[in-house]
Amino acid sequence: MHLWLAYITFNMDILFATRRDLEFGIAFVQVRLCFWLCSRAVHSSQQVLLRSHQRFGVLKEEAMSEPNGDKVVSVHDLDVAEEVSIAGAEAPLKDLDAPEETKEKLKKAPREKKKEIVHGGGAAGAKKKEVKKESGLGLTFKKEENFGDWYSDLVVRGEMIEYYDVSGCYILRPWSYAIWESIKDFFDKEIKKMGIENTYFPLFVSEKALTKEKNHVEGFAPEVAWVTKSGDSQLEEPIAIRPTSETVMYPIFAKWIRGHRDLPLRINQWCNVVRWEFKHPTPFIRSREFLWQEGHTAFATKEEADKEVHAILELYRRVYEELLAVPVIKGVKSEIEKFAGGLYTTTVEAFIPTTGRGVQAATSHCLGQNFAKMFEIMFEDDKGERKMVWQNSWGLTTRSIGVMVMVHGDDKGLVLPPRVAPIQVVVIPVPFKGIDPSDECLKVVHQLQQADIRVKEDLRDNYSPGWKYSHWELKGVPLRIEIGPRDIEKKQVRVVRRDLEDKAEGRSQDIPVADLVERIGKILDEMQKHLLEKAREERSLCIATAYNWDDFMAALNNKKMVLAPWCDEVEVEENVKARTKSEGDGGAAKTLCMPFEHDTLPVVQEFLPEGTKCFASGKPAKRWALWGRSY
């Protein structure tokens, strides 16, 4: 009798200490009374005990719900979550309806003592943190094996864009918009030095204005989106959404310009435009709505207009090469490829070696006097004569971001040039033996911020250091700083570069904290230079020279741009497009530009050697042309 009493009392005390709630205390008193009244009903008492276990539970659940619906528990549940990985993944909930022997093993399993992380090296005593179940990182596709899917995967996982429910339209997330702001800040500052002012014109264009310049509207007609209804009512006249703003602005130019003192008129606007593309939409590269800047200017003479065309083109080259670390080739477009309604179009052309396709990166157009004639933009010169103005327009779009991603990205994610990276340095603590150097990380962050370096600390304690490394590599942050207890002892930090391969010399290095600001600045400059040089070398390997059709097609099908002597005839270019489409397996080729770059393309000379024949027609060649497939 006394033995059974001691047994039940012992078990009840354990349960009472475990739960410490009033309800179970009442149940315990009831069991004790039942024993004294029914000393022979030991078996019944054991059943009551079992029901109490089942009802109130020995384990205290502190369940949470993850976004994916998985159930996880607090790290306090050591009987249930027997092991929490370093990466922070939770052990699943044990089945409380498991067989009795399983429950018994669970109950008697020794509890492993968990070490608490001590922040800043202080005493342990803070409440233990709940850890978050981690999601998988990394890209699904390889750049060299499946470029299209790799790119689509990267811009989403790299937090550049989010897809939208209107086809061809994309949400620019803060990470990509910050890059656009860097481009905008640089370019806006430079054009203001030239005396160009910002403005804003309406999004809508009347049908009358849009169709006034025949060649211009024919060039954009398939891409124009029209507003035809207001609520349930049909509009008397459809209104176009601007595909570009020449026809929006130039009727107003005619009002603003009266005499030679009103010239030059030089304005720019940062806005969105809509071109209802029917080709395959590609984030940044080809979308139905995109952001850009468009400059529109008017001059008294052609010489002034020509000078500005090339000055703006040089600014576009600087945006790509100095900010985005993407090499470009400057040149002039053919008659077929020039801006609809313009006199001539200059361009900077980029190239994607992996796909063997060129990209029209930005354009600067001389419109001549065609639009001035259509919209009657006249001025009175200093001699009292009425003359038409000479006009230019020029534009750079968010396509530039896509080009940068395609050129520099790798199988681990984005690789961002330091000058446009929203965050240039990320600082990550590496806890070891119960010590978390977060305080030291904050000191380093403050030190770098004082030097105007864009830096962020990642002190999240629900992710492991390894997970954070992968996360920030995916986002393309140029430099990672790791700080562990040993680094604190040695007064140093570990710095890791994003632009180099894992085992490449110089990828990681230990830097004394005292020299950190100076060394970080130099490394960022080195990275910017290295990215451009690497991209330029890769592009140079993709330029071939051909003097006949067979060599031209062989190079084209080998994913190269082809520099070839050309007779500069529209019919021949159309024929080349048709033949390359039928004979090749990558689509039609066209002229990308007639290059200006003697230094970039040494074979290009002002005059071809006498007797040089066109590679396609056999007629006397007039100039070098750079051909290729393109986006």
Side-chain angles (χ1 to χ4, degrees):
M1 179 70 71
H2 292 292
L3 182 62
W4 281 110
L5 175 61
Y7 172 76
I8 293 176
T9 302
F10 175 76
N11 280 278
M12 290 299 98
D13 288 341
I14 290 176
L15 292 174
F16 189 78
T18 303
R19 298 300 298 180
R20 287 183 171 87
D21 63 63
L22 180 61
E23 186 178 5
F24 194 84
I26 294 172
F28 169 64
V29 173
Q30 289 175 340
V31 171
R32 292 287 296 270
L33 289 174
C34 287
F35 174 77
W36 288 108
L37 293 174
C38 307
S39 59
R40 296 181 182 179
V42 175
H43 180 69
S44 299
S45 298
Q46 290 176 327
Q47 294 300 314
V48 171
L49 175 61
L50 179 59
R51 285 194 297 272
S52 298
H53 273 279
Q54 292 173 337
R55 180 179 179 185
F56 302 113
V58 178
L59 301 174
K60 180 181 178 181
E61 291 185 35
E62 296 177 359
M64 300 182 297
S65 294
E66 285 287 82
N68 60 8
D70 293 339
K71 195 175 184 183
V72 297
V73 297
S74 165
V75 292
H76 293 299
D77 297 316
L78 299 178
D79 287 321
V80 179
E82 295 178 343
E83 183 175 327
V84 178
S85 72
I86 295 177
E90 295 282 4
L93 273 173
K94 294 289 192 293
D95 187 358
L96 297 182
D97 293 326
E100 290 297 323
E101 59 264 27
T102 304
K103 291 183 181 180
E104 189 66 17
K105 290 180 182 178
L106 177 64
K107 175 182 172 183
K108 294 183 179 181
R111 296 186 178 186
E112 181 183 352
K113 186 177 180 180
K114 302 292 179 178
K115 294 183 179 180
E116 292 187 26
I117 299 286
V118 183
H119 292 271
K127 184 179 179 180
K128 293 180 181 179
K129 301 289 184 180
E130 290 183 344
V131 295
K132 184 177 181 180
K133 188 171 183 179
E134 292 184 352
S135 58
L137 290 175
L139 301 178
T140 306
F141 304 95
K142 302 292 185 182
K143 184 176 182 179
E144 296 292 334
E145 296 174 2
N146 192 336
F147 184 87
D149 287 335
W150 166 85
Y151 178 76
S152 298
D153 194 28
L154 175 55
V155 294
V156 173
R157 289 177 181 263
E159 299 181 2
M160 300 287 276
I161 65 110
E162 187 63 65
Y163 283 93
Y164 193 58
D165 61 359
V166 177
S167 176
C169 297
Y170 307 96
I171 298 166
L172 299 190
R173 298 188 63 175
W175 198 245
S176 62
Y177 196 81
I179 296 172
W180 178 241
E181 287 181 318
S182 294
I183 295 170
K184 178 181 176 181
D185 291 344
F186 170 83
F187 190 79
D188 200 63
K189 181 179 178 181
E190 293 300 319
I191 62 174
K192 285 177 179 175
K193 290 178 184 177
M194 298 168 63
I196 298 167
E197 299 177 298
N198 283 327
T199 186
Y200 186 79
F201 278 70
L203 174 68
F204 301 111
V205 194
S206 69
E207 184 176 24
K208 180 181 179 181
L210 185 65
T211 57
K212 196 163 189 176
E213 210 296 319
K214 182 179 179 182
N215 291 332
H216 178 71
V217 72
E218 285 180 355
F220 285 102
E223 302 174 351
V224 175
W226 295 90
V227 179
T228 59
K229 293 180 68 176
S230 172
D232 295 329
S233 304
Q234 289 289 136
L235 296 180
E236 291 184 6
E237 179 182 330
I239 299 173
I241 300 175
R242 63 180 171 219
T244 181
S245 296
E246 282 78 6
T247 55
V248 181
M249 294 183 174
Y250 297 165
I252 309 304
F253 274 34
K255 293 181 179 181
W256 290 351
I257 298 172
R258 297 297 182 186
H260 65 279
R261 293 183 181 84
D262 297 323
L263 295 173
L265 176 60
R266 308 172 78 185
I267 61 174
N268 173 74
Q269 72 171 356
W270 297 90
C271 62
N272 64 333
V273 291
V274 174
R275 296 180 185 176
W276 211 256
E277 296 272 7
F278 288 95
K279 298 179 181 179
H280 298 295
T282 304
F284 298 114
I285 299 298
R286 188 175 295 280
S287 57
R288 289 177 171 170
E289 180 191 12
F290 55 86
L291 301 180
W292 76 344
Q293 61 72 213
E294 54 175 325
H296 296 271
T297 55
F299 299 91
T301 66
K302 184 177 184 296
E303 290 74 22
E304 292 176 283
D306 289 339
K307 183 179 178 181
E308 186 197 65
V309 165
H310 291 279
I312 294 296
L313 195 69
E314 174 60 14
L315 277 184
Y316 289 152
R317 182 202 64 79
R318 291 182 61 194
V319 167
Y320 274 92
E321 296 193 349
E322 295 180 16
L323 269 65
L324 303 177
V326 173
V328 292
I329 296 172
K330 295 196 294 185
V332 62
K333 288 287 189 180
S334 67
E335 279 298 306
I336 293 177
E337 296 297 325
K338 75 177 184 180
F339 182 71
L343 181 62
Y344 65 87
T345 292
T346 64
T347 180
V348 287
E349 295 287 321
F351 187 73
I352 313 301
T354 311
T355 61
R357 292 185 179 273
V359 182
Q360 180 178 287
T363 49
S364 181
H365 316 287
C366 179
L367 303 180
Q369 295 180 309
N370 190 30
F371 285 91
K373 182 179 180 180
M374 292 296 103
F375 291 95
E376 299 180 354
I377 308 173
M378 309 288 289
F379 73 99
E380 187 177 283
D381 67 10
D382 55 359
K383 296 178 182 179
E385 296 181 14
R386 294 278 293 169
K387 294 182 178 180
M388 290 187 294
V389 299
W390 292 83
Q391 291 179 263
N392 294 335
S393 69
W394 26 272
L396 170 72
T397 80
T398 42
R399 171 178 284 192
S400 54
I401 299 174
V403 173
M404 176 199 68
V405 172
M406 289 181 167
V407 170
H408 299 309
D410 61 21
D411 291 340
K412 292 193 292 185
L414 300 168
V415 180
L416 300 182
R419 289 180 185 168
V420 295
I423 297 173
Q424 295 171 312
V425 182
V426 62
V427 183
I428 299 175
V430 184
F432 184 70
K433 291 188 175 180
I435 298 177
D436 182 352
S438 295
D439 291 346
E440 192 66 27
C441 289
L442 293 173
K443 292 177 184 178
V444 168
V445 168
H446 179 72
Q447 186 179 357
L448 295 177
Q449 285 176 337
Q450 294 298 107
D452 292 328
I453 293 172
R454 297 187 293 277
V455 59
K456 178 181 176 62
E457 74 280 4
D458 189 345
L459 305 183
R460 292 175 292 178
D461 55 9
N462 54 342
Y463 290 111
S464 69
W467 189 95
K468 295 176 186 178
Y469 298 165
S470 297
H471 172 72
W472 293 110
E473 283 188 339
L474 178 62
K475 295 189 64 139
V477 172
L479 286 179
R480 178 176 80 238
I481 291 179
E482 305 166 7
I483 303 178
R486 291 183 182 178
D487 297 309
I488 297 175
E489 291 176 6
K490 297 179 179 180
K491 297 182 179 180
Q492 67 179 27
V493 298
R494 171 65 58 87
V495 177
V496 183
R497 290 172 56 158
R498 178 66 180 90
D499 62 321
L500 299 176
E501 298 295 328
D502 287 342
K503 297 182 181 180
E505 183 180 356
R507 173 174 162 81
S508 63
Q509 52 189 296
D510 295 326
I511 298 178
V513 174
D515 302 332
L516 190 59
V517 170
E518 181 182 357
R519 293 283 297 277
I520 289 295
K522 289 182 178 179
I523 293 172
L524 291 173
D525 288 342
E526 289 172 7
M527 292 179 68
Q528 186 78 28
K529 182 179 179 181
H530 172 256
L531 285 171
L532 178 60
E533 290 176 348
K534 178 184 176 184
R536 187 171 279 152
E537 288 174 5
E538 291 176 351
R539 187 203 60 186
S540 296
L541 296 173
C542 296
I543 301 176
T545 304
Y547 292 89
N548 58 65
W549 183 259
D550 290 340
D551 291 346
F552 174 83
M553 284 303 301
L556 192 66
N557 290 331
N558 199 27
K559 296 183 177 181
K560 295 183 183 295
M561 292 185 287
V562 188
L563 194 63
W566 180 43
C567 60
D568 198 9
E569 294 183 6
V570 170
E571 295 78 8
V572 174
E573 182 173 4
E574 293 284 13
N575 182 257
V576 170
K577 283 186 177 182
R579 290 178 67 185
T580 52
K581 185 175 182 179
S582 62
E583 294 181 24
D585 54 2
K590 65 179 183 180
T591 55
L592 302 177
C593 69
M594 274 61 77
F596 298 143
E597 300 293 324
H598 299 271
D599 54 342
T600 304
L601 305 172
V603 71
V604 176
Q605 303 294 330
E606 282 191 38
F607 302 101
L608 287 165
E610 188 175 350
T612 304
K613 302 293 184 181
C614 173
F615 80 100
S617 67
K619 298 178 181 180
K622 296 180 181 179
R623 63 201 311 177
W624 288 100
L626 189 64
W627 300 75
R629 297 187 172 102
S630 68
Y631 285 95

